[in-house]
């Protein structure tokens, strides 16, 4: 069965600092991987996705993520965090014909 | 606007009542998924419909039911409501031919009092 683990429930970073959010997955085949962002009381917005090809993918709002097959990871990064990035970040894994499995999310707080 | 429309945005109702949540998927998407998100909890999968047929069930209570209509919109029916059913209910849709992930609606916030 597929699963997603986001080890950090909460992360606090200072504005302007770099950010890395961890995502580890378990999946029997080549996965499709996703990162979503959820602002309070809002729906989930797709930040970026990986299907195949280049393992470093660029997304919206200056985010990127790197697929590392050997580590079963798909960590999300941003070089300089803005106060508006404070939100819940959710990683997901799946494939065509299979449903997505979502991680528990990481809540990002940004200090001024 | 994600293209997935959920109504109503907010709903306040009393225990024991029944409510219906509605979702219109993004144009061209055949799959609809329903999720429940309680306070400070992750997404809990409820049910998946594809082109009118139920495809998968998650931890959906017997008091809850859903359907997808020929025009592909879906409704989630919640009955005999309890205080613990208060949550955000999200609908997501995905495409029929090419899988590109899910597109989420903005959710319905249900408060049971």
């Amino acid at each position: 069965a597929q699963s997603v683990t986001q080890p950090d429930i909460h992360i606090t970073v200072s504005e302007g600092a770099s950010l890395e959010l961890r995502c580890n997955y378990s999946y029997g085949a080549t996965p499709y991987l996703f990162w979503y962002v959820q602002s309070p009381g809002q729906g989930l917005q797709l930040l970026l996705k990986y299907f195949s090809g280049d393992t470093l993918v660029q997304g919206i709002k200056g985010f990127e993520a790197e697929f590392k097959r050997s580590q079963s990871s798909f960590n999300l990064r941003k070089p300089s965090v803005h106060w508006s990035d404070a939100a819940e970040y959710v990683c997901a894994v799946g494939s065509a014909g299979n449903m997505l499995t979502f991680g528990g999310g990481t809540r990002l707080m940004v200090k001024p | 606007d994600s293209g997935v429309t959920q109504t109503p945005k907010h709903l306040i109702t009393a225990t024991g009542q029944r409510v219906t949540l509605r979702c219109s998927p993004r144009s061209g998407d055949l799959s609809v998924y329903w999720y429940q998100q309680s306070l400070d909890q992750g997404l809990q999968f409820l049910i998946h419909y594809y082109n009118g047929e139920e495809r998968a069930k998650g931890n959906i209570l017997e008091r809850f039911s859903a359907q997808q209509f020929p025009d592909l919109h879906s409704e989630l029916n919640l009955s005999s409501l309890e205080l613990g059913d208060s949550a955000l209910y999200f609908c997501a849709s995905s495409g029929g031919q090419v899988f590109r992930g899910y597109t989420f609606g903005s959710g319905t916030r249900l408060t049971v009092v």
Side-chain angles (χ1 to χ4, degrees):
Chain A
Q2 59 199 57
S3 65
V4 179
T5 302
Q6 295 183 244
D8 305 303
I9 297 175
H10 295 97
I11 281 187
T12 301
V13 299
S14 297
E15 190 167 17
S18 64
L19 172 70
E20 182 167 19
L21 302 182
R22 295 183 291 165
C23 172
N24 295 101
Y25 68 89
S26 173
Y27 197 73
T30 300
Y32 291 178
L33 294 156
F34 305 83
W35 274 101
Y36 288 86
V37 60
Q38 183 181 19
S39 298
Q42 301 295 312
L44 279 74
Q45 180 184 19
L46 181 65
L47 276 178
L48 48 78
K49 59 182 182 285
Y50 171 80
F51 285 1
S52 65
D54 193 346
T55 56
L56 184 64
V57 293
Q58 303 296 320
I60 62 171
K61 305 185 182 192
F63 285 91
E64 68 178 26
E66 187 171 11
F67 170 53
K68 293 186 177 180
R69 185 187 301 274
S70 62
Q71 298 177 21
S72 296
S73 69
F74 188 57
N75 294 348
L76 182 71
R77 301 194 294 246
K78 187 170 185 178
S80 177
V81 169
H82 188 262
W83 64 266
S84 61
D85 293 324
E88 184 91 2
Y89 292 82
V90 184
C91 181
V93 65
S95 69
N98 285 322
M99 291 177 32
L100 294 188
T101 296
F102 291 87
T106 297
R107 179 155 296 173
L108 173 66
M109 290 170 280
V110 181
K111 291 190 301 184
Chain B
D1 182 8
S2 67
V4 177
T5 303
Q6 287 189 249
T7 57
K9 292 192 182 305
H10 302 277
L11 201 48
I12 301 175
T13 190
T15 54
Q17 295 298 305
R18 171 189 170 96
V19 297
T20 298
L21 312 184
R22 181 187 171 102
C23 170
S24 294
R26 195 177 59 169
S27 178
D29 286 355
L30 300 178
S31 276
V32 170
Y33 309 83
W34 285 98
Y35 287 85
Q36 179 191 58
Q37 187 180 45
S38 301
L39 189 63
D40 292 332
Q41 300 294 311
L43 291 169
Q44 298 297 316
F45 168 66
L46 295 177
I47 199 163
H48 168 212
Y49 277 86
Y50 176 82
N51 202 20
E53 293 186 3
E54 180 186 304
R55 283 294 180 92
K57 263 186 175 180
N59 296 323
I60 186 167
L61 300 171
E62 286 192 9
R63 300 184 285 110
F64 296 1
S65 65
Q67 53 184 326
Q68 186 179 28
F69 294 87
D71 67 352
L72 301 178
H73 91 272
S74 177
E75 293 181 356
L76 179 67
N77 300 295
L78 315 176
S79 62
S80 302
L81 285 167
E82 302 174 359
L83 296 178
D85 298 327
S86 296
L88 267 169
Y89 291 84
F90 287 108
C91 163
S93 72
S94 68
Q97 293 295 327
V98 179
F99 180 69
R100 301 187 189 283
Y102 295 179
T103 302
F104 281 84
S106 57
T108 293
R109 180 174 293 281
L110 173 66
T111 303
V112 182
V113 297

